[in-house]
Amino acid sequence: MRLRNFNIGRHLRDRLHYSWMLLVLAITMIVPVALLSGLIYKSSFLLSEQSFFQILFSNQWKPLSGKFGFYPFIISSLWVSVVSLLIAVPICLLTAIHLTQYAKRWVLNLMHPVIDLLAGIPSVIFGMWGILVIVPVISNYIGPLFGKNISGYSILAGAIVLSIMIIPFILNILIELFRHIPTELKETSLSLGATQWQTVKFVLVKKIFPGIVSAFGLGMSRAFGETIAVLMVVGNVVHVPKGIFQPGYPLPALIANNYGEMLSIPLYDSALMLAALILFVIVLFFNFLSRLIIVKSNIHN
Amino acid sequence: MDLRKIEEIFFRILMFCSTVIIAVSLIIIIFSTFYKGLPHLTWEMISKTPKGGFYFGKEGGILNAIVGSLYLSFGATILAILFGLPLALFLNVHIAHRRKLVNVVRFVMDLLWGVPSIVYGAFGFTIMVFFGIRASLLAGIITVTLFIIPIMVRGIDEVLQSVPRGLHESSLSLGSTRAETAYKVFLKQSVPGVVTAILLSFGRAIGDAASILFTTGYTDHIPTSLSQPTATLPLAIFFQLSSPIPQVRDRAYAAAAVLFIIILIISILSRFFSKRYQKNKINF
Amino acid sequence: MNKPKINIQDLNLYYGKQHILKNINTIIPERQITVIMGPSGCGKTTLMKSLNRLTDLTPDCSVSGKIMIDGQNILNTTEDITKIRKKMGLLAQRPYPLPMSIYNNVAYGLRISGRKKRRFLDKRVEHYLRQVNLWNEVKDRLKEPAGTLSIGQQQRLCLARGLAVDPEIILADEPTSALDPISSQTIEEKFKELKNQFTIVMVTHILRQAKRIADYVIFMYLGEIIEQGPAKDFFENPQEEITKDYLKGLFY
């Protein structure tokens, strides 16, 4: 009798756990749908009055007179993310190759915590570092080098800060990729008389090329969505930037800077939620594409 | 022939330089944070709330932000464990045999993981307005929870995936229920890894600014209930750094030093735990 | 027996603190098939990889002793390591085609050493593919990725690729273990043909395969050489107890 009671208790508990797990699963699967539909709902107010393409390609940003042109912000976002990726790509690739193919044990033991820590630093601290170090360096050294007299708050400052932020993220993916190449492939190339660098260049990089592309795609989506650190150093001037020494005003910064007043101006909140929606869709797109590349290349092999 | 050697040496130098750039960047970040922050990290700074308004008052400290951040991130982490842990176990124990479903869930988690925190912030704000909640600790906790659930699930999931299948089968064949297999076998097997994943999520929760910018508000006081607004360390840095008054900026630097120390502690703790978990796993 | 091509003296090798190869002294005769045998984990693959210094790739590996190839100690040499490695073609347990086309797999070794003329490459590729009896099967699909070939074809491609850099020695690490019986037979027959031109070192734990093709046998156990000698003597008249037990199939 006691045994049976015990069993009933056990199975009841099993059922309870199961129900909770199922509920949790359902809730988490609803989150992306809710995110998307919430943002669409909010931005529909603006979209019912103005056309989407007009908003996207107009550079008139005058919330008080109901003009919401996203063009300057989208271009700024592109500038900052692309430049940061240009900085991060060679550094990540070279470091990943160094750490997986050449480095001595002590370098690995040193760099592992360095990368981990870099990945864990909050974005406000990166932003503060940008204000304290990068902005003055650009204003005092890099700017004058190109004959420019600038404050330092610029696309370049945003891109440098951003590149340091996405480096640990991309680097971890790349290291993982390089580690999973079979040693025999490397041995094969070496035994055919290739130098180590030739092996890297002709065989290893080629072997994981789709993975490398997708790592940078994921890095790009990271860069696109990063808010606070970029906002702190990028200048936040509403215009279409034409070079890396000019200030910019990326999309996430637009949302973050104006939340305070968005309820006091008609359609302003709708415009900002549309900005969030665009951000969400762009980031999803990059994520999706990157993962698709991986899946496709796996099928091929 | 010689050209090959020159090329090899050239690229080895470049590789070495890139590695050094990364290490040096970290050193500069640590150094500049502590150089600015540590001198102001007095007892008064961490034991008092700001006087005369956080943006203009020259007196007082950052206790409101420290306590607020701890409330917020502990709250969010505990909530996220309640959701994330069962979900990760569910994937690896209950529906492990339904590969398609598991892959879909993992894919959604990956996507959510990639969503920028500002989007969570904007979404949280929309919900707040919808339900008529004011900016408060509770709203912040909910937003941050949403933001760290995918981080936690991915972390725990990765650890659980390395539990050998044989263990799963033998546990079931001994007559354990699935819940028992999940919590007593899978979880027990991977405690250090799970703790690491939770610590990392906590680190994300305490460091993120964009998701709480709209949702927690900001105040000089320490909140006494969930419905009050609260200060947090990231926002203490963000807001006070832009102040024209040097004493207020010093508070921002001190807050940055405190936040960095917390992140350092988390990093050391998680290395300690992951070392125990990775005994037979090679780094790099 | 032919004169020695490789002469190994007092070779000791450690991975970290693990002593993998213990006082190895042996010779490998020129233009014959030398088979390294022994149960798994006895160090036979490591011995073979130390011949072209692929053991350098392992971070904690330390080596002492001498490996003399044509009178030159490759462990202590000022000469470019890539030149030494080029002397030796490597055939792994499983075929590892490089991530490129069939044509480029064979041409790879020539290209990286600076031979880039198209006409020259075309000729060499055809020559080596014919040598491993693969030409007729792949001549219409040279541009396709090498991964599309069957495993047996891939292994023959890997052999052609190794031959294309004009080595003097072929190192083969259980080259047939992933192959079907017919592909295995092709490889074995190829080896018997190739030994007129090349010195072949092959690691195997298949006793019958060793009996079929070996000219000289090195038998290893737990990192040491237990017994070595010409194949006939070794199989018909083993001296050591361990060898006798192994040949009887008492352990694997």
Side-chain angles (χ1 to χ4, degrees):
Chain A
M1 195 58 209
R2 271 181 72 181
L3 192 68
R4 249 183 87 194
N5 272 339
F6 178 64
N7 266 334
I8 291 170
R10 274 178 71 200
H11 285 105
L12 191 66
R13 229 178 310 148
D14 191 47
R15 291 303 312 169
L16 276 175
H17 275 301
Y18 184 79
S19 316
W20 175 243
M21 284 168 166
L22 210 58
L23 187 68
V24 163
L25 179 69
I27 292 174
T28 358
M29 290 301 107
I30 289 172
V31 170
V33 182
L35 261 172
L36 203 61
S37 44
L39 293 176
I40 290 176
Y41 170 73
K42 286 299 274 184
S43 40
S44 65
F45 295 105
L46 179 62
L47 288 175
S48 63
E49 300 208 356
Q50 297 174 23
S51 93
F52 181 60
F53 285 98
Q54 190 192 331
I55 296 168
L56 217 53
F57 294 110
S58 151
N59 49 19
Q60 294 287 315
W61 180 259
K62 289 182 185 124
L64 282 172
S65 46
K67 285 181 178 154
F68 302 101
F70 282 158
Y71 190 66
F73 308 102
I74 291 173
I75 297 300
S76 291
S77 268
L78 281 176
W79 265 105
V80 176
S81 342
V82 170
V83 175
S84 77
L85 208 60
L86 286 181
I87 301 170
V89 164
I91 294 183
C92 286
L93 206 49
L94 287 166
T95 307
I97 294 169
H98 183 213
L99 293 180
T100 52
Q101 311 298 321
Y102 289 88
K104 299 238 163 48
R105 183 73 54 195
W106 69 267
V107 181
L108 300 184
N109 289 341
L110 188 78
M111 286 309 284
H112 200 208
V114 166
I115 297 168
D116 273 1
L117 195 55
L118 213 49
I121 294 178
S123 62
V124 250
I125 291 189
F126 278 108
M128 196 179 90
W129 170 69
I131 293 176
L132 292 174
V133 180
I134 301 297
V135 169
V137 165
I138 292 177
S139 164
N140 299 332
Y141 302 101
I142 303 181
L145 208 64
F146 293 88
K148 308 215 175 211
N149 186 11
I150 46 170
S151 70
Y153 289 91
S154 56
I155 298 273
L156 182 62
I160 292 176
V161 170
L162 201 46
S163 65
I164 301 295
M165 293 180 73
I166 58 172
I167 277 175
F169 172 72
I170 299 177
L171 196 52
N172 274 327
I173 306 178
L174 289 183
I175 286 174
E176 204 59 23
L177 285 169
F178 274 108
R179 266 176 50 192
H180 277 96
I181 301 175
T183 330
E184 285 82 355
L185 204 61
K186 203 158 57 175
E187 291 177 349
T188 298
S189 170
L190 290 176
S191 71
L192 291 170
T195 62
Q196 217 169 342
W197 173 249
Q198 282 177 317
T199 304
V200 168
K201 189 167 60 164
F202 294 129
V203 179
L204 303 190
V205 169
K206 213 169 162 190
K207 178 85 183 166
I208 58 168
F209 191 72
I212 293 176
V213 172
S214 103
F216 290 127
L218 291 173
M220 180 81 183
S221 87
R222 263 274 126 130
F224 222 89
E226 178 48 45
T227 313
I228 296 292
V230 182
L231 178 157
M232 288 165 83
V233 297
V234 82
N236 301 327
V237 176
V238 184
H239 71 148
V240 179
K242 294 191 178 62
I244 54 171
F245 291 111
Q246 292 187 355
Y249 204 157
L251 215 47
L254 169 74
I255 307 170
N257 269 339
N258 297 296
Y259 77 100
E261 60 228 65
M262 70 177 158
L263 289 179
S264 50
I265 303 169
L267 288 183
Y268 203 174
D269 60 331
S270 183
L272 293 184
M273 290 307 148
L274 178 61
L277 179 64
I278 293 174
L279 202 61
F280 184 63
V281 171
I282 291 176
V283 167
L284 281 194
F285 173 74
F286 272 112
N287 264 280
F288 203 76
L289 207 66
S290 305
R291 289 175 209 286
L292 202 69
I293 292 173
I294 294 259
V295 171
K296 273 265 148 68
S297 68
N298 277 346
I299 290 167
H300 191 70
N301 285 341
Chain B
M1 264 308 137
D2 254 349
L3 208 66
R4 298 204 310 174
K5 265 214 177 110
I6 293 166
E7 193 185 333
E8 173 101 28
I9 291 166
F10 175 73
F11 277 99
R12 285 189 80 147
I13 292 170
L14 277 189
M15 281 181 232
F16 185 74
C17 290
S18 327
T19 314
V20 169
I21 287 174
I22 293 175
V24 167
S25 310
L26 179 70
I27 292 169
I28 296 175
I29 293 169
I30 295 176
F31 181 78
S32 55
T33 310
F34 284 146
Y35 178 77
K36 281 283 187 180
L38 285 184
H40 307 294
L41 207 56
T42 55
W43 176 244
E44 197 197 330
M45 186 61 85
I46 55 172
S47 65
K48 290 214 165 74
T49 56
K51 288 196 175 58
F54 67 88
Y55 200 72
F56 293 113
K58 294 179 181 169
E59 305 283 311
I62 51 169
L63 183 66
N64 56 335
I66 298 176
V67 175
S69 256
L70 290 178
Y71 279 166
L72 180 79
S73 17
F74 271 112
T77 309
I78 290 167
L79 265 185
I81 292 174
L82 281 179
F83 281 73
L85 188 60
L87 181 54
L89 287 169
F90 194 63
L91 286 184
N92 284 285
V93 180
H94 292 70
I95 54 170
H97 54 284
R98 299 174 67 175
R99 304 251 27 117
K100 271 232 171 86
L101 183 58
V102 173
N103 283 340
V104 168
V105 177
R106 287 202 177 120
F107 184 72
V108 171
M109 281 296 138
D110 280 353
L111 288 185
L112 283 179
W113 188 81
V115 173
S117 58
I118 185 83
V119 173
Y120 283 104
F123 176 67
F125 183 76
T126 316
I127 292 194
M128 269 167 48
V129 173
F130 189 76
F131 287 108
I133 311 172
R134 278 191 322 137
S136 61
L137 186 56
L138 180 67
I141 288 178
I142 292 172
T143 312
V144 174
T145 304
L146 284 182
F147 165 59
I148 63 170
I149 281 178
I151 300 172
M152 195 180 281
V153 171
R154 272 179 51 132
I156 298 177
D157 186 35
E158 205 170 294
V159 182
L160 292 180
Q161 277 185 55
S162 66
V163 173
R165 278 212 62 78
L167 209 58
H168 186 184
E169 283 154 13
S170 46
S171 166
L172 287 179
S173 65
L174 286 171
S176 325
T177 62
R178 284 175 303 179
E180 283 166 348
T181 307
Y183 287 97
K184 293 194 179 148
V185 178
F186 271 69
L187 186 57
K188 219 171 187 175
Q189 261 290 301
S190 24
V191 166
V194 171
V195 173
T196 308
I198 291 173
L199 277 171
L200 291 179
S201 313
F202 182 83
R204 288 272 143 196
I206 206 166
D208 193 67
S211 60
I212 51 172
L213 198 53
F214 312 109
T215 46
T216 55
Y218 199 88
T219 155
D220 291 350
H221 309 289
I222 296 170
T224 49
S225 85
L226 281 172
S227 59
Q228 288 179 4
T230 180
T232 52
L233 283 169
L235 293 187
I237 303 167
F238 182 60
F239 289 143
Q240 301 188 111
L241 201 60
S242 60
S243 165
I245 300 161
Q247 286 87 341
V248 175
R249 284 208 300 273
D250 291 345
R251 281 212 294 269
Y253 297 138
V258 171
L259 185 54
F260 209 115
I261 290 170
I262 293 174
I263 294 294
L264 271 178
I265 293 172
I266 290 171
S267 173
I268 292 168
L269 279 180
S270 65
R271 277 198 82 69
F272 170 75
F273 281 109
S274 67
K275 273 242 172 74
R276 296 181 55 183
Y277 151 66
Q278 287 189 323
K279 263 194 183 130
N280 44 6
K281 226 174 150 186
I282 320 149
N283 291 339
F284 289 112
Chain C
M1 205 178 98
N2 296 1
K3 76 177 173 69
K5 174 82 176 170
I6 303 174
N7 197 337
I8 301 173
Q9 295 163 15
D10 300 323
L11 181 70
N12 277 287
L13 186 141
Y14 297 83
Y15 284 148
K17 287 192 175 108
Q18 264 184 299
H19 201 170
I20 306 290
L21 296 177
K22 301 168 187 163
N23 293 320
I24 302 291
N25 281 288
T26 186
I27 53 122
I28 285 162
E30 192 168 27
R31 292 208 198 97
Q32 286 192 322
I33 298 178
T34 302
V35 166
I36 307 176
M37 281 175 35
S40 49
C42 68
K44 49 193 193 308
T45 301
T46 309
L47 175 61
M48 202 192 67
K49 281 187 181 165
S50 61
L51 294 181
N52 62 354
R53 282 189 35 194
L54 285 175
T55 45
D56 290 6
L57 295 181
T58 317
D60 303 323
C61 175
S62 58
V63 195
S64 68
K66 282 183 185 170
I67 298 177
M68 311 291 289
I69 298 182
D70 296 330
Q72 179 200 23
N73 182 7
I74 61 148
L75 293 181
N76 178 18
T77 175
T78 52
E79 209 192 324
D80 190 357
I81 180 68
T82 59
K83 278 190 191 152
I84 296 168
R85 288 195 181 126
K86 243 179 89 175
K87 271 191 185 175
M88 291 173 253
L90 178 75
L91 207 55
Q93 289 189 6
R94 252 163 32 90
Y96 285 92
L98 299 170
M100 45 189 88
S101 69
I102 295 170
Y103 180 95
N104 285 337
N105 258 278
V106 185
Y108 178 80
L110 297 164
R111 281 225 174 96
I112 53 171
S113 49
R115 312 296 296 268
K116 287 184 178 138
K117 284 228 178 69
R118 190 76 200 188
R119 294 243 321 265
F120 171 79
L121 289 178
D122 283 349
K123 255 208 234 142
R124 302 314 284 173
V125 169
E126 179 174 346
H127 173 81
Y128 290 110
L129 285 176
R130 278 188 193 285
Q131 199 169 13
V132 298
N133 306 341
L134 199 59
W135 177 252
N136 288 326
E137 295 162 48
V138 302
K139 65 180 176 210
D140 301 321
R141 44 191 285 208
L142 291 171
K143 290 273 177 311
E144 284 176 34
T148 56
L149 295 172
S150 75
I151 298 285
Q153 288 173 322
Q154 284 184 19
Q155 191 66 314
R156 275 182 282 154
L157 178 71
C158 290
L159 182 59
R161 178 180 68 191
L163 295 177
V165 291
D166 210 6
E168 295 163 22
I169 303 165
I170 295 172
L171 306 176
D173 184 4
E174 301 187 23
T176 60
S177 62
L179 305 186
D180 58 281
I182 295 173
S183 305
S184 303
Q185 202 188 353
T186 321
I187 294 275
E188 276 182 30
E189 276 162 13
K190 261 298 107 156
F191 273 22
K192 282 188 202 158
E193 250 173 79
L194 290 170
K195 74 175 178 183
N196 299 319
Q197 293 172 56
F198 302 95
T199 304
I200 297 174
V201 184
M202 182 165 117
V203 165
T204 187
H205 62 252
I206 309 168
L207 203 54
R208 273 173 294 175
Q209 184 176 48
K211 278 184 184 161
R212 281 195 295 271
I213 67 171
D215 296 310
Y216 191 81
V217 181
I218 299 170
F219 176 66
M220 294 181 72
Y221 184 70
L222 296 177
E224 287 177 275
I225 293 184
I226 303 295
E227 193 165 347
Q228 53 182 314
K232 206 162 176 299
D233 303 350
F234 180 86
F235 289 117
E236 282 168 15
N237 191 17
Q239 303 295 314
E240 303 290 327
E241 283 305 312
I242 303 178
T243 321
K244 286 178 194 163
D245 287 351
Y246 184 76
L247 292 178
K248 277 187 227 154
L250 289 184
F251 64 94
Y252 186 66

